[in-house]
Amino acid sequence: MSEFTNKSVLITGASEGIGRATARVFAARGANLILVARNEQRLDDLQRELAAAHDVKIQIHPLDLRDVSAVEMFFSKLEGEALDFAVNNAGFEGRIADLNELNMEDYEAVFDVNVRAVWQCLKHEIAHFRGRKKAGAIVNVASILGFRGI
């Protein structure tokens, strides 16, 4: 039995890369999962994989974190859940080009996922933990690009 058995973990950006690997580790340790990502097919595939290997509850939520109202609605539905941990992993590198070739839409796409969506998730996660009067843990994942640009 693990310290994560029967605990609930929210993971954004869960459909691939670090988020997918994080979901596998938590499931192997008995945590129930709330998986969020834009790619519904990859979330479905991950849910089937994890359900076949582990006896945990798995919810999937296809969600574009750039959609402010959809994020609000998602967290309002989570109010009845017993969330114990959150991993804000969703990230977006955007279009790779010289700065003078990028436009405001390019900037906003990156900013909306990597800054605003993280802030919005944090706001709701903290409110969730405070509302339950129970401590929780939140991990925000960033790539090396948080320290060094390309």
Side-chain angles (χ1 to χ4, degrees), residues 63-74:
L63 176 63
D64 185 342
L65 294 174
R66 295 174 295 182
D67 184 338
V68 174
S69 61
V71 172
E72 293 285 337
M73 188 181 319
F74 166 74

Side-chain angles (χ1 to χ4, degrees), residues 3-68:
E3 68 270 28
F4 298 111
T5 301
N6 295 321
K7 301 290 184 176
S8 291
V9 181
L10 167 67
I11 304 170
T12 68
S15 66
E16 56 189 277
I18 293 170
R20 193 176 190 91
T22 302
R24 287 175 176 144
V25 170
F26 273 112
R29 286 169 175 70
N32 298 317
L33 304 174
I34 302 166
L35 306 176
V36 173
R38 288 181 299 173
N39 190 318
E40 185 171 8
Q41 181 60 54
R42 290 186 60 85
L43 282 174
D44 284 338
D45 293 345
L46 180 59
Q47 182 181 36
R48 280 193 296 282
E49 171 196 326
L50 296 176
H54 308 287
D55 184 25
V56 297
K57 296 175 188 167
I58 305 166
Q59 298 178 35
I60 61 170
H61 298 273
L63 176 63
D64 185 342
L65 294 174
R66 295 174 295 182
D67 184 338
V68 174

Side-chain angles (χ1 to χ4, degrees), residues 75 79 83 120-134 138:
F75 277 100
E79 286 179 8
L83 185 62
Q120 190 177 16
C121 288
L122 280 168
K123 182 178 102 169
H124 289 289
E125 292 156 359
I126 291 167
H128 182 89
F129 293 136
R130 286 181 177 166
R132 290 183 58 223
K133 294 183 177 25
K134 183 176 178 195
I138 301 171

Side-chain angles (χ1 to χ4, degrees), residues 66 92-95 99 101-113 116:
R66 295 174 295 182
F92 179 66
E93 68 183 16
R95 186 166 71 97
L99 185 63
E101 295 174 13
L102 299 173
N103 57 42
M104 188 53 73
E105 290 79 23
D106 295 320
Y107 169 81
E108 288 172 349
V110 172
F111 191 86
D112 287 352
V113 173
R116 195 190 67 222

